[in-house]
Amino acid sequence: MKFGYFDDNAKEYVITSPKTPLPWINYLGCEDFFSLVSNTCGGYSFYKDAKLLRLTRYRYNNVPGDSNGHYYYIKEGNTIWNPGWMPTKTDLDSYECHHGIGYSIFKGNKNDLAAELTDFVPIGSTCEINKLTMTNHSKEEKHFSIFSYVEFCLWNAMDDMTNFQRNYSIGEVEIHGSAIYHKTEYRERRNHYAVYSVNAPIAGFDTSRDAFLGAYGENSAPDVVVSGSCKNSVASGWAPVGSHQLDVTLAPGESRTYVFVLGYVENLAAEKWVGRPEDGIINRTPAEKLLEKFNTTEKADQALADLKAYWEKLLSHFTVSSKEEKLDRMVNIWHQYQCMVTFNMSRSASYYESGIGRGMGFRDSCQDLLGFVHLIPDRARQRILDIASTQFEDGSAYHQYQPLTKKGNSDIGSGFNDDPLWLIAGTAAYIKETGDYSILDERTPYDNDDSKATDLMEHLRRSFHYTMEHRGPHKLPLIGRADWNDCLNLNCFSTEPGESFQTFGPSEGPNAESVFIAGMFVRYGKDYVEICRHRGMAEEAALAEEAIADMEKTVLDAGWDGEWFLRAYDHYKNKIGSKECEDGKIYIEPQGFCVMAEIGLKEGNCLKAMESVEKYLDTKYGIVLLQPPYHRYHVELGEISSYPPGYKENAGIFCHNNPWISIAETVVGRGNRAWQVYTRTCPAYIEDISEIHRTEPYVYSQMIAGKDAPNFGEAKNSWLTGTAAWTFLNASQYILGIRPDYDGLIVDPCIPSFMDGFTAKRDFRGTTYHIEVENPNHVEKGIASVTVDGNAIEGNLIPVDASKKEVHVKIIMG
Amino acid sequence: MKFGYFDDNAKEYVITSPKTPLPWINYLGCEDFFSLVSNTCGGYSFYKDAKLLRLTRYRYNNVPGDSNGHYYYIKEGNTIWNPGWMPTKTDLDSYECHHGIGYSIFKGNKNDLAAELTDFVPIGSTCEINKLTMTNHSKEEKHFSIFSYVEFCLWNAMDDMTNFQRNYSIGEVEIHGSAIYHKTEYRERRNHYAVYSVNAPIAGFDTSRDAFLGAYGENSAPDVVVSGSCKNSVASGWAPVGSHQLDVTLAPGESRTYVFVLGYVENLAAEKWVGRPEDGIINRTPAEKLLEKFNTTEKADQALADLKAYWEKLLSHFTVSSKEEKLDRMVNIWHQYQCMVTFNMSRSASYYESGIGRGMGFRDSCQDLLGFVHLIPDRARQRILDIASTQFEDGSAYHQYQPLTKKGNSDIGSGFNDDPLWLIAGTAAYIKETGDYSILDERTPYDNDDSKATDLMEHLRRSFHYTMEHRGPHKLPLIGRADWNDCLNLNCFSTEPGESFQTFGPSEGPNAESVFIAGMFVRYGKDYVEICRHRGMAEEAALAEEAIADMEKTVLDAGWDGEWFLRAYDHYKNKIGSKECEDGKIYIEPQGFCVMAEIGLKEGNCLKAMESVEKYLDTKYGIVLLQPPYHRYHVELGEISSYPPGYKENAGIFCHNNPWISIAETVVGRGNRAWQVYTRTCPAYIEDISEIHRTEPYVYSQMIAGKDAPNFGEAKNSWLTGTAAWTFLNASQYILGIRPDYDGLIVDPCIPSFMDGFTAKRDFRGTTYHIEVENPNHVEKGIASVTVDGNAIEGNLIPVDASKKEVHVKIIMG
């Protein structure tokens, strides 16, 4: 069952019923100001940091669901409705929500009155624009009122939801003309406020929630809207809100457009006030400048056009055209869009991540980078340096860092022993994309201490050596607190509720080892070797090669279970992910990474591992993380066994590592299987089962309930997942096979045999590559011939030629 | 305007409209299981710790307001209603909420069907009972359904409201007969679950919120209730709830009673499961035993009777009878009840304290003790030892400690330099009440380290000396991070939002001094001297007396501003609370404490200070904390200047220190004024302005907006305030003047001159004192004669005579 459709020309998903199984959201903003917006106009805004600078209040896990947003009420006679259905839930004569790239449009009609609401965050400004066009489609003159409504958050979202004995006394506002200023705490240490305005004279306003809603009021029927007349309330404490009243008359066929702006404004400390601070009148000059930028419909339309052009350009760097409409749609639009959102948000603010719990993950951010480095290489470069700056001198790393300060989060600390290797992965991806080795020369601090800075190359060296030197009884890498995905906590041994599995117990034990990290070591160690070679560090390269070879041997000796790769050894040196185990006999992660690392490729281990994944972990909705699920808590394993069977890491379909298997299948050359794995969790391919999948059909979720769960197939935690990056990497670099490498662009497709071929356009180091792939013999992998601008070449590495703006590549598979 | 009335016989406040200005709540439970319940059945339950072991989910600051509670829906035909009005808000034919002492009763009638719901937590059991009696008052047989509803919290209230990427996947339940078991995380480290049951066969149940409410559903109209038929849903992840359906037929005049129980149950680790842990069937035996205790109406009624008897006995220790009905009501019932609630809750869980933010305050708990020591001296004794155990070896103290572990909270740390003296205050109050000096011999750790333990007397010594030895340029005590009430942060100098005023900056500076602490030092130093004397520590007593005399002189030299006592000196050695200041010229705290300490009593400073309070700080709704309010942020003062004028410490009417002034007025003998101060904030005396005051008319709030605020007279933060203890102390020991002392009971009334006298009954050290006070000459203070059992005595100290069970005291004022 579907609740809408893809409009690929507009790059939109069009939702045709407000009653989606869960709220389906979009992200507005790509610089510093962000909004989450659902298909019923729910959501909230923040500036830079969703915890510390939240503009509007949202209530997670609330009843009624998805409550609070940026709402517009239309009151015509006794009928009150919203263009996005919520919160009145008045039945609309027609409804559409268009989630586009960086904007959302809501089209609601009721009694021949049409509302079209366009929400977006313009490039270069710190505000959200809500452009509302009302059209009278009837034959009579229409008189109605519009009431806008936002509820302000008192900036710190955590404090806002806990510290009421203070918060109920601090709310402050100012009103000037049509502009409502939310200035709570501006009197003291804040130098910023919010402004909410409309480009028209207003009939009145409200800024007190209690006044607007009325005693025991609800968003579904605010007192002010029901009565049709605002109260011009001035909030003092309690809950400040912003509401404008506009009284409108429209002749038959007439339209009118209003531009509402919700903005974030900072002042210099010396320029906070008009006159004396004691008088408490805020300096509105920068706000007025901001409002002036969007005070006509034309200006707002131009800002939207600029935003669309910005995205059009970004998404033009990689495009594919095949007979697979859904593949093209995902690769050209939604995979890359989701990658950009994970770049912006990390794991901070979604409808499942409350925006207050986590900083940027070291591991997460490095992986996210794999997905967006081709889109915004300059920002990727900065991100790498930011991440590396939180590394410790011994090569280990803070597991998270704070987006505002960019400093490591000492609450979480270090000890996640896969982290260092991800830095190599991210840096290698950046160099392969850009050819910019100069990043390796950048002076980069440790633990944000400039006095300890070295060049980035040295950071990579320490990353590699940290892993090399922290090994256990089987010479496999020690796992530390945990590797991906934080839930196998082999040194934790927690028995008390509330103890964090990630931080309780020692940061490292002497025994617990990870085969997964071993796979990463081999995989990204090879990148490290190549980078060393390029830097002329032949001795280090040789040393690293030897360590890699040794690790490969170690994995084959101690990390192979007969049919698949082991997952780990626990504190007692017992195997995890072995046929010897009662539960958790086979895990997905080492199969993905050891095969991507080509450990035992020649010996057949890789193919065998892939066959075992198919045999033991496959389901119709994707590959589960392990089997059988843990049925009880294992104190020696930690969080993974804390989940009910089939959920999350305990045998859920963790979307993040499904592409690892798909990529691994391309390593063993099984294009059909790689395709099957790709499509089984790919949003566009499962749009038809939206009533089962429930989350948005245009983006990935973190997890789909596995076959052991009662709700098999139900997804959770949409949007902010490493799946975004990995799946784009998989689709673009391994299935389509267009893969940046150190010295050029590799083209090496591994596609389903039914596919005749495809064409693609790829911008790479200043040149645009037009790539045509033909698959006349319907193979899954293999290259019969490669021509570049009509000339046949050996191999499938298209060398860089900076003199060319355009290059035409033709590949015949076979 | 009133929204109800006091029923003094029943010891109840009866609310007659559900639409009170704010939710008016009650507390159920006096041991380990607690519930908050509002007049519309909102609220939640927890076991011991409101943050870590919360049973049901409540949403603070929500829209709709006060949402989530323990609800019962009645569906008769198409009419759906609740006995407490919420959440359907269906108009009732009649409504009453009786908030009693430890129980609440809701009486709702609709269409001749009557519901009477009695909520209480029985003594000795870890559960809440909801006894629901339905009566058919019509002449027709009635058929209707009852749907119960609670939403479970996933135990850790903080995690529950932030960590959705995990929490949406962990919810688990079991259903057996009429019992719904909420067992989330029981599979792993928890050894406890919740049970919600009813003593009757059920037509069905629901445990999934989504199933119960329906898609986009609301508490006001759950899908299941609207349709009239439950879904027997079994929650798996998302939001587990508990709902029973009962289909009922009642003949005309017939009644039926159901007993619902919501319980908390723990199992030993070895007894968690029935059979293997892998099978995941919880051991229900203890739950079944709990349910059996209340499985008939008679058993539930007996439990309620036991609860009432428990309270009746507690409240019999001190009673007054005067012609002032409101005084008697407050002293005999509500003051003492609020004291017990602050003992139980400290500042953790109210409708303003979210239950997750704070531990027990060192200062708070010592003060709370002043109010409940006569009710439960054994628990007061333990509380003192718990508090003292968090003291540091140098005499300073953790400012807060955790109720579950009883360990100091290192996030807040120490440096609140009034803390140590409160330990002397609390211990002195305990000794005066009980005569039990043996508490001073108790071995008591420092920083919870047993190896560092000394006797409690040594703790007191270190408290006194800590203050004596930490003094500034004027020889006044250094303020440290802050004294009461945490908001004058003279060493903080915070410029960045989000920095805690209480913990940012150094814990102590060399200059900033507190006149308030000086007043405390003198006041409680005198108690320290007496205790030393009793212990035979003559030398120490003499030393202390000298230090106190020196401090008195210091205050009169450096702490007197001409008309009133200064508040402090800041980091720059500038005066705070002086006529030299632009804002904040006069503060309430030092006037209260220096006068209570009788500093300059003979010299006239005390009377002058009291006159200044009346002249500069008085308002019709109480005495504001300071004048004029700070109009801008002062970085050298901190949080106090962060509030808008008139709110909180910035010139709000902080109820906590109004009794200090009232007590201080009794020191200078002005009974009329003491009475005026007492009655202006006393709930029963301002019941008539409930529409202005807004919070409950039976208990104190922390703060009433001052005259500088737009909402002058509006109260906030009801229930959990030191006002409870201080006002009972004031009314009982200073206005009525019945005051325990080391060697007996002092009787020294200071009453308004219109009062003819009063009688009181006071249990004291095993003897019941029947006290009759006559005021024939209508004086405000002074004793003409005292007779004890008919014999005149010198002075007004009634000596202890353990041989007597009853003593009759007659006082003639004059």
Side-chain angles (χ1 to χ4, degrees), chain A residues 56 61 79 109 142 166 170 220 256 268 278-279 354 361 413 453 504 563 599 605 611 630 723 726:
Chain A
T56 55
N61 197 12
T79 303
N109 286 270
K142 279 185 174 281
R166 172 178 165 87
I170 62 173
S220 57
R256 192 162 308 149
L268 293 174
E278 288 84 339
D279 299 326
S354 56
F504 186 75
E563 285 186 84
I599 297 173
N605 304 64
E611 287 169 350
Y630 293 105
T723 316
W726 275 106

Side-chain angles (χ1 to χ4, degrees), chain B residues 184-356:
Chain B
T184 297
E185 287 191 344
Y186 187 79
R187 72 165 45 249
E188 39 137 328
R189 297 166 299 173
R190 297 191 183 277
N191 65 339
H192 52 84
Y193 54 75
V195 60
Y196 185 42
S197 192
V198 59
N199 67 340
I202 55 175
F205 62 86
D206 278 289
T207 65
S208 152
R209 186 181 78 201
D210 288 351
F212 182 75
L213 297 179
Y216 297 88
E218 311 204 6
N219 284 354
S220 57
D223 204 26
V224 156
V225 182
V226 171
S227 73
S229 100
C230 62
K231 298 174 182 171
N232 294 333
S233 58
V234 180
S236 171
W238 299 105
V241 301
S243 175
H244 308 90
Q245 176 174 353
L246 293 156
D247 295 332
V248 189
T249 299
L250 287 182
E254 190 183 0
S255 276
R256 192 161 309 148
T257 296
Y258 299 95
V259 182
F260 293 84
V261 174
L262 173 69
Y264 170 90
V265 177
E266 281 181 3
N267 275 323
L268 293 174
E271 298 170 2
K272 281 178 74 168
W273 306 101
V274 173
R276 305 182 316 156
E278 288 85 339
D279 299 327
I281 308 299
I282 62 174
N283 173 8
R284 304 191 304 278
T285 307
E288 285 161 356
K289 278 188 192 149
L290 175 69
L291 297 177
E292 201 191 339
K293 287 167 75 176
F294 308 106
N295 65 355
T296 67
T297 305
E298 293 68 29
K299 289 179 185 176
D301 286 344
Q302 184 57 51
L304 181 59
D306 292 346
L307 177 70
K308 287 185 178 179
Y310 168 86
W311 276 106
E312 199 63 42
K313 186 168 175 208
L314 270 189
L315 296 181
S316 71
H317 297 313
F318 189 110
T319 58
V320 62
S321 174
S322 73
K323 290 179 186 163
E324 277 289 310
E325 180 188 37
K326 293 174 184 176
L327 172 70
D328 297 357
R329 166 186 300 153
M330 293 310 296
V331 169
N332 296 340
I333 308 170
W334 297 97
H335 285 339
Q336 297 193 68
Y337 183 46
Q338 189 172 4
C339 285
M340 280 297 289
V341 170
T342 59
F343 163 70
N344 287 325
M345 297 288 128
S346 187
R347 305 296 174 271
S348 71
S350 74
Y351 263 31
Y352 303 88
E353 298 283 4
S354 55
I356 62 175

Side-chain angles (χ1 to χ4, degrees), chain A residues 43-109:
Chain A
Y44 62 94
S45 298
F46 62 94
Y47 177 75
K48 282 189 178 172
D49 185 305
K51 176 177 176 182
L52 299 177
L53 292 171
R54 197 175 295 197
L55 270 81
T56 55
R57 192 177 275 158
Y58 182 78
R59 298 182 171 89
Y60 281 86
N61 197 12
N62 200 23
V63 174
D66 189 18
S67 58
N68 256 24
H70 301 171
Y71 292 135
Y72 295 88
Y73 297 87
I74 316 294
K75 177 179 167 66
E76 185 188 13
N78 289 324
T79 303
I80 301 170
W81 56 283
N82 304 92
W85 186 60
M86 291 266 270
T88 57
K89 299 186 201 165
T90 301
D91 285 334
L92 298 175
D93 298 334
S94 71
Y95 159 92
E96 276 181 7
C97 164
H98 298 237
H99 280 326
I101 306 303
Y103 67 89
S104 290
I105 302 171
F106 304 87
K107 300 181 182 180
N109 286 270

